[in-house]
Amino acid sequence: MNTNNSRRNFLKTTALATLAAVNIPEIVSAAYKPAKLKKIALSNEDIILFQGDSITDMHRKRSDNDANSPAALGTSYPFLASAEMLYRYPEKKLSCYNKGVSGNKVYQLAERWQTDCLDLKPTVLSILVGVNDFWHTLVNGYTGTIKTYRDDYKALLDRTKQALPDVKLIIGEPYAVIGVKAVDDKWYPTFNEYRQAAREIADNFGAAFIPYQEVYDKAQKSAPGAYWTADGVHPTLAGAQLMAEAWLQTVKG
Amino acid sequence: MNTNNSRRNFLKTTALATLAAVNIPEIVSAAYKPAKLKKIALSNEDIILFQGDSITDMHRKRSDNDANSPAALGTSYPFLASAEMLYRYPEKKLSCYNKGVSGNKVYQLAERWQTDCLDLKPTVLSILVGVNDFWHTLVNGYTGTIKTYRDDYKALLDRTKQALPDVKLIIGEPYAVIGVKAVDDKWYPTFNEYRQAAREIADNFGAAFIPYQEVYDKAQKSAPGAYWTADGVHPTLAGAQLMAEAWLQTVKG
């Protein structure tokens, strides 16, 4: 009986999750006209830097600072997207780096930005940040708001553009998969504001935008959310490839 | 002057390497009619096991025995091919494992075969082994011959087929990139015998065969050998993706 109840609850949760998955993007696109899907043209000897939180970090070897080093790229979408680019464009002599750090919010990117971004002089800069800016308000008393996120993010990009005026920007949408472990109703509707802010900022700064929420929502038509993310936020290996494919959509040779 | 000489030598080596790269496959195909390019059909809940030496191992976390775990899959073609399969075929519920061990020759696979292969009951078994069976005769006094390689490999596969009669086999061709670091003229023509033996064994056991030598030879038309392999044997990240793409050619959904 207990098992049946659990199963019923699971089905109910899944049904709600599916509804949410279908509806949330519609709400967003009604509220905000999205930026056109922009593509970044890769140039010879581009220096590609992946920045963000744990979703980007994913066990990268911090002591390894070599370009295109498998260990330094971690085990998530930066590794997979870099491998594919290096394979597709051997003549371009690309250099790929990952400097994501677990737990980071925007202000923590700012604290290490000189060393972990500007000094590397990236020509292509990919940033995915925002889930902790919201999540940590629920779990560890972080008091930043959507305004903090928006203001900090804009300041970070203004500073980046001043130092690297020609940098090609790629901004990922913060995403979450409702019904999987850490992500429940308490996230909504507030978390959607972070998604929308990232989209607006991408538009304002002429960045290519990766609609990760839509990517994860669509993926759930072929397998449950837990197939793509173990806790609602961090990708499984399947989810990492899903994200890499979406990331690669933003670049062309 | 010294620099010019080095450059001349480099060009000479490169020219030789290119000649070798073009000619070796022709020699092989003249000597031995290759197996048709066979494809393995993936089934629901397939258990896919990658076996081999350091080229397969590539820093996998030995203590992690979970299926589809990024850390357990290492940083080479098993990780990349697994990510792609999990992404492409979510409905199949595939389980991917890597049990490659650095330095292994065929007899060393045999020593750990019960635990690291048969007990896992793979339904798809991919093996890449042979470079150490030859290389170690040059560098550390290993006395095995091409006959040892061939006999040990056949015995290993007979044993595998007895325990797992329905296992779908994928056999990779041992390869080397002449002119890059560890690989020089001393490897030839003997090393070619190992390549040919693997191809014949794949044919005898109805395995799908991955012609890695041809893959690396072709890749050198777009970038030098050192772009794909740092030492002539172990893939760079670009080389790992190159191998994963070739590996994926042998499976269909």
Side-chain angles (χ1 to χ4, degrees), chain A:
Chain A
M1 287 302 276
N2 206 10
T3 309
N4 278 346
N5 272 340
S6 298
R7 182 160 164 74
R8 234 184 334 262
N9 285 337
F10 170 73
L11 289 172
K12 200 174 147 195
T13 312
T14 309
L16 280 171
T18 307
L19 270 178
V22 171
N23 289 338
I24 289 166
E26 284 168 14
I27 292 164
V28 170
S29 60
Y32 181 74
K33 199 169 180 302
K36 269 184 301 189
L37 209 63
K38 188 178 162 159
K39 287 218 185 211
I40 292 293
L42 293 177
S43 309
N44 286 344
E45 299 182 32
D46 260 342
I47 297 166
I48 299 160
L49 173 61
F50 293 90
Q51 263 293 3
D53 53 36
S54 55
I55 299 168
T56 303
D57 182 346
M58 288 297 257
H59 315 293
R60 71 179 175 89
K61 191 173 170 186
R62 303 275 167 93
S63 59
D64 185 342
N65 293 301
D66 290 346
N68 308 332
S69 160
L73 286 163
T75 61
S76 185
Y77 74 95
F79 178 93
L80 291 162
S82 298
E84 183 67 31
M85 283 188 288
L86 292 168
Y87 166 71
R88 274 193 210 167
Y89 311 115
E91 72 291 351
K92 288 203 189 293
K93 301 181 174 66
L94 304 173
S95 298
C96 300
Y97 298 91
N98 178 3
K99 297 286 175 188
V101 169
S102 210
N104 269 193
K105 297 173 273 292
V106 180
Y107 81 85
Q108 289 155 318
L109 291 188
E111 285 171 359
R112 58 187 183 83
W113 209 238
Q114 188 62 45
T115 315
D116 281 358
C117 176
L118 306 182
D119 288 353
L120 286 165
K121 298 187 171 41
T123 55
V124 177
L125 173 60
S126 163
I127 309 177
L128 171 58
V129 69
V131 73
N132 294 324
D133 298 72
F134 169 74
W135 193 3
H136 290 185
T137 65
L138 296 182
V139 293
N140 73 4
Y142 175 61
T143 56
T145 64
I146 179 66
K147 185 173 184 312
T148 316
Y149 176 69
R150 198 185 290 269
D151 292 349
D152 287 0
Y153 211 156
K154 282 182 182 168
L156 187 75
L157 293 177
D158 278 333
R159 182 177 160 200
T160 307
K161 282 285 205 180
Q162 277 203 329
L164 309 163
D166 298 325
V167 70
K168 296 172 271 190
L169 285 174
I170 299 174
I171 289 182
E173 181 183 26
Y175 65 87
V177 178
I178 192 169
V180 181
K181 228 168 167 176
V183 182
D184 58 22
D185 289 341
K186 286 197 294 294
W187 285 52
Y188 301 93
T190 315
F191 178 62
N192 291 338
E193 297 174 16
Y194 291 76
R195 297 173 42 211
Q196 185 167 331
R199 190 182 281 265
E200 285 172 14
I201 289 165
D203 204 14
N204 291 343
F205 283 85
F209 181 72
I210 310 173
Y212 283 127
Q213 187 64 55
E214 191 183 316
V215 167
Y216 273 93
D217 291 345
K218 280 190 182 162
Q220 288 172 75
K221 292 177 184 168
S222 34
Y227 182 83
W228 306 103
T229 160
D231 62 1
V233 170
H234 297 94
T236 57
L237 185 53
Q241 183 70 35
L242 179 73
M243 294 180 72
E245 299 280 340
W247 194 96
L248 288 164
Q249 293 289 317
T250 66
V251 299
K252 57 185 178 186

Side-chain angles (χ1 to χ4, degrees), chain B residues 88-108:
Chain B
R88 273 193 211 168
Y89 312 116
E91 72 290 352
K92 288 202 190 294
K93 301 182 173 65
L94 303 174
S95 298
C96 300
Y97 296 92
N98 178 2
K99 297 286 176 190
V101 169
S102 210
N104 269 194
K105 296 173 274 292
V106 180
Y107 81 85
Q108 290 155 317

Side-chain angles (χ1 to χ4, degrees), chain B residues 24-66:
Chain B
I24 290 166
E26 284 169 14
I27 292 163
V28 170
S29 61
Y32 181 74
K33 202 170 179 298
K36 269 184 300 189
L37 210 63
K38 187 179 165 162
K39 288 218 183 211
I40 292 293
L42 293 176
S43 310
N44 285 345
E45 299 182 32
D46 260 342
I47 297 166
I48 299 159
L49 173 61
F50 293 89
Q51 264 292 4
D53 53 35
S54 56
I55 299 168
T56 303
D57 182 347
M58 288 297 259
H59 316 294
R60 71 180 175 90
K61 191 174 170 186
R62 302 275 167 94
S63 59
D64 185 343
N65 292 302
D66 290 346

